[in-house]
Amino acid sequence: TMLSARSRTLSLARQTATRAMSGKIIEFGAEGRANLLRGVSKLNDAVSCTMGPKGRNVMIAQAYGAPRITKDGVTVAKSIEFSDPMENMGAQLVRQVANNTN
């Protein structure tokens, strides 16, 4: 019974979508992809409003000094940081791709 209880525990551990090991967050499956996509979508919403001839101004709060007002999508993308680490990772992926294509 001891062996079967341990094997059940291991199988449950394999099924969980999120694991935290030594300060790192590892997510698998649809839940992990959904969290990354949420960060990409939030970044897209913030940057897309600056695009085109009807682009709008975006105000960026800074830790020091007055807030910055800009229409530049690159500046907006570089200044965005999310509190959720997986959403932040999705936004970082988009930033890296944008930097590599230029």
Side-chain angles (χ1 to χ4, degrees):
T1 60
M2 179 85 156
L3 184 60
S4 64
R6 181 173 177 180
S7 64
R8 273 186 274 154
T9 304
L10 288 175
S11 67
L12 287 175
R14 287 186 191 122
Q15 292 174 358
T16 57
T18 305
R19 295 184 195 173
M21 303 171 90
S22 69
K24 305 230 187 296
I25 298 172
I26 302 171
E27 292 196 16
F28 301 102
E31 184 179 335
R33 286 189 299 275
N35 289 338
L36 284 176
L37 184 61
R38 200 174 323 123
V40 170
S41 297
K42 285 182 179 180
L43 183 67
N44 178 38
D45 292 342
V47 172
S48 65
C49 71
T50 65
M51 301 286 194
K54 290 187 175 183
R56 304 198 183 257
N57 291 328
V58 175
M59 187 178 342
I60 302 169
Q62 297 178 346
Y64 55 90
R68 180 186 300 175
I69 299 174
T70 183
K71 273 190 174 177
D72 182 23
V74 175
T75 305
V76 173
K78 285 182 179 180
S79 64
I80 288 181
E81 198 167 309
F82 299 116
S83 58
D84 181 28
M86 292 305 289
E87 288 180 6
N88 200 31
M89 193 181 313
Q92 285 176 356
L93 284 171
V94 173
R95 272 186 241 131
Q96 283 181 348
V97 168
N99 286 335
N100 289 339
T101 57
N102 284 339

